[in-house]
Amino acid sequence: MSLTAYLDKGASLGPDAPCLTSGDRSMTYAEVQRHSRRVAGALTRSGVLPGDAVAVLSTNDPVSFAGVFGIARAGAVWCPVNPRNEAEENRELLDLFGCTALLYQRSYAPLVAAIRDRLPRLTILVCLDGEGDRGDPSLTEWLAAGPEAASPEATGPGAAPPGGLVMLVGTGGTTGRPKGVRLTDRNVETMSALTLMSYPFRGRPRYLALAPLTHAAGVLCFPVMALGGEVVVMPAPDLGDFLALVERRRITHTFLPPTLVYALLAHPDLDTTDLASLQCLWYGAAPMSAHRLEEAIRRIGPVLGQLFGQSEAPMMISTMSPAEHLRPDGSPALERFASAGRPTPLTTVAVMDPGGRLLPAGERGEIVVRGSLVMDGYHRDPQATAEAGRFGWHHTGDIGYLDDDGWLYLVDRAKDMIISGGFNVYSAEVEQALLAHPTVQDCAVIGLPDEKWGERVVAVVQPRAGTSPDPADLRAFARSRIGGVKAPKEVLVWDDLPRSKVGKVLKPDIRSRLLPGQEGAPGPGG
């Protein structure tokens, strides 16, 4: 299945139905199909071959995302590029992918100008919304240079690239040079099937994409389109606009990372907004406070749906549907709120020790995965591919365990585990304890070098609006919940925490600002 199969399936259910919407502008399924054929024809005329990598550099925008289906229809490989990356990181990714074409918005012309001369294979550049850098043609000019539409027979759903590769996704450069994840048509098909079988979908869905389409919000569009649903695209992540759109557009599905769920709970319009249309509000990409999850279900409704995955095994390693958040009597199932759900039907999940031994229920080790959800490997990096796939399983880098009933629990990223006084301290467990405090909006726990303890547990907290957390009180609160060994030895209060482009807290940034000799470490309130 090419990516165009999801669009074409939706069109078969109603070509005049709205497909991609932003503001007052909407493209029907038939219009997106026609646009995709024109983009496919233009790519082919420009010299793009099946299997070539084509990058899109854009904010959330319907025309930009519609172009993705043109890339797929030409048999090329979509490379979503996050516009909030640093220019050098994007240059490294485009070089790694061997991109021959780049479609970009005019606002990113300075970024393009900074990298294009060092990308010799990049010969086709098109500005999506006007004339671009150095006279690059606008999308309108580029499409008008040839036939209005490419032949459906030549550029139909069967024009899949060699090996079924449909996406190249950058992992980010927080641990060195970024890697490229190779996702095939089978990976996306498996993810879409798991989405449709794991969560409620009644009628034609209306999906609100607030998070970047370059990440989870983008791939969730495919199962929505398979049902003929409408994707409402938000160009900027404003929670006031988000709430207004849910009410006005009668949104049925959306996705928010936990940090934005926390911010939503603090928004003054939440309790006066009609959210009755929601069938599923997905959350994932980072652990969520069980305490705040209970609050979210009470105030937003019994529509929260968890997903756990990663770029290498997209989205659906394990899931917890809205119904599974509740007991049979309708009360919150608090006993499983700290879990990441159950392994999905088309994946096999286990827990492994460093020597490759699979561990029994209750024992902690690295979470490993098998199945058609798992990537085709890292692009042009056989060593990293072999390392991630040792012992015949994909290694997620997450530490966790399975309980006797098959529920999966994540306790930390392997790289974030702290060894203090000879004891393993899992930062996620400390964060869960602190997030239960009424003055804490968000927090991050890291280990810093310590002569006595080896590593000391340090927490940096972001206060809820209108509160002034007391570090001594927070230390005592954590100690009462998880004991003195795990409780932080030090608590700092910052106005905000450094975050990635998708809202994840950046622990490496926090660590670098707190290590001795590093400048710019803000003190309490800084």
Side-chain angles (χ1 to χ4, degrees):
M1 278 180 79
S2 166
L3 298 183
T4 56
Y6 304 96
L7 169 65
D8 294 342
K9 176 65 176 180
S12 74
L13 302 174
D16 296 327
C19 177
L20 294 170
T21 298
S22 182
D24 296 328
R25 179 182 58 170
S26 186
M27 300 174 71
T28 67
Y29 272 87
E31 287 169 337
V32 176
Q33 279 186 311
R34 179 185 171 200
H35 182 79
S36 73
R37 291 185 176 118
R38 296 183 70 198
V39 169
L43 287 168
T44 301
R45 289 194 308 273
S46 300
V48 172
L49 301 174
D52 281 356
V54 178
V56 179
L57 178 60
S58 168
T59 57
N60 279 5
D61 176 75
V63 173
S64 300
F65 194 68
V68 168
F69 298 99
I71 294 168
R73 210 176 283 280
V77 179
W78 172 36
C79 303
V81 180
N82 196 311
R84 295 178 64 182
N85 287 349
E86 296 297 327
E88 184 58 24
E89 182 177 349
N90 279 334
R91 189 205 67 77
E92 288 186 353
L93 284 172
L94 295 180
D95 182 52
L96 174 66
F97 298 159
C99 285
T100 60
L102 171 65
L103 313 181
Y104 67 94
Q105 285 183 326
R106 183 169 45 188
S107 57
Y108 299 111
L111 188 156
V112 173
I115 65 176
R116 64 188 299 166
D117 289 339
R118 292 180 291 147
L119 293 166
R121 295 192 62 186
L122 186 63
T123 57
I124 304 160
L125 295 101
V126 178
C127 186
L128 291 162
D129 52 353
E131 184 176 319
D133 181 54
R134 303 186 197 175
D136 293 334
S138 69
L139 179 65
T140 302
E141 295 167 338
W142 185 58
L143 296 180
E148 182 178 85
S151 163
E153 290 76 22
T155 59
L165 185 68
V166 295
M167 290 178 66
L168 282 169
V169 182
T171 61
T174 56
T175 57
R177 185 180 176 90
K179 295 193 289 290
V181 175
R182 295 171 56 87
L183 294 180
T184 67
D185 50 359
R186 179 59 60 87
N187 298 144
V188 177
E189 184 178 345
T190 302
M191 185 220 71
S192 298
L194 291 170
T195 303
L196 295 171
M197 69 174 66
S198 300
Y199 303 100
F201 285 92
R202 298 184 298 276
R204 284 183 184 257
R206 289 179 296 278
Y207 169 59
L208 181 55
L210 174 144
L213 292 170
T214 51
H215 291 73
V219 292
L220 283 169
C221 293
F222 301 133
V224 169
M225 287 181 169
L227 297 177
E230 180 181 8
V231 178
V232 180
V233 179
M234 290 189 66
D238 182 281
L239 287 177
D241 292 344
F242 171 86
L243 287 169
L245 280 168
V246 171
E247 180 173 299
R248 186 171 74 252
R249 294 277 188 179
R250 309 309 295 160
I251 296 299
T252 62
H253 295 76
T254 190
F255 168 84
L256 294 176
T259 52
L260 286 183
V261 175
Y262 302 159
L264 192 67
L265 294 174
H267 198 280
D269 295 340
L270 174 62
D271 294 325
T272 58
T273 301
D274 180 2
L275 304 177
S277 62
L278 281 176
Q279 297 176 25
C280 187
L281 191 163
W282 289 294
Y283 66 94
M288 180 148 175
S289 159
H291 177 77
R292 307 300 289 281
L293 178 56
E294 181 184 9
E295 181 186 356
I297 292 173
R298 174 168 45 85
R299 295 178 61 197
I300 298 172
V303 296
L304 276 288
Q306 184 174 185
L307 49 84
F308 163 60
Q310 53 184 197
S311 297
E312 294 89 340
M315 311 295 290
M316 304 295 165
I317 293 174
S318 63
T319 60
M320 181 158 47
S321 70
E324 289 174 317
H325 285 71
L326 306 175
R327 301 188 185 107
D329 64 0
S331 61
L334 303 177
E335 63 278 4
R336 65 178 71 126
F337 278 12
S339 84
R342 283 178 166 149
T344 49
L346 304 181
T347 57
T348 303
V349 177
V351 177
M352 183 177 286
D353 72 9
R357 182 174 67 94
L358 298 183
L359 300 175
E363 288 197 30
R364 297 181 176 189
E366 185 174 4
I367 297 167
V368 292
V369 185
R370 278 178 171 167
S372 56
L373 190 67
V374 175
M375 66 174 179
D376 187 48
Y378 292 112
H379 194 60
R380 294 166 50 190
D381 196 339
Q383 182 176 347
T385 299
E387 175 66 18
R390 60 193 185 278
F391 306 117
W393 294 77
H394 171 68
H395 290 246
T396 65
D398 289 299
I399 302 297
Y401 64 94
L402 288 159
D403 71 10
D404 289 331
D405 295 320
W407 292 91
L408 179 66
Y409 290 79
L410 279 63
V411 296
D412 217 347
R413 290 290 293 169
K415 63 184 179 182
D416 291 334
M417 189 179 73
I418 303 162
I419 302 177
S420 184
F423 292 94
N424 291 344
V425 178
Y426 298 101
S427 62
E429 185 178 3
V430 186
E431 289 159 0
Q432 286 279 342
L434 290 169
L435 284 166
H437 195 279
T439 68
V440 175
Q441 170 74 14
D442 206 349
C443 70
V445 171
I446 63 170
L448 293 181
D450 187 273
E451 289 186 4
K452 178 179 180 181
W453 301 102
E455 285 185 295
R456 69 181 185 278
V457 181
V458 177
V460 181
V461 304
Q462 174 188 347
R464 288 201 191 194
T467 68
S468 299
D470 177 67
D473 178 49
L474 291 176
R475 290 196 301 272
F477 181 81
R479 192 178 302 113
S480 70
R481 287 179 164 247
I482 55 177
V485 172
K486 299 175 183 178
K489 302 291 189 294
E490 182 180 4
V491 173
L492 302 173
V493 181
W494 294 0
D495 289 340
D496 201 357
L497 304 176
R499 302 179 192 278
S500 72
K501 301 96 183 173
V502 292
K504 290 186 181 181
V505 174
L506 294 172
K507 292 187 179 182
D509 284 17
I510 294 174
R511 186 175 288 106
S512 68
R513 291 162 70 178
L514 291 177
L515 285 173
Q518 297 289 326
E519 296 182 0

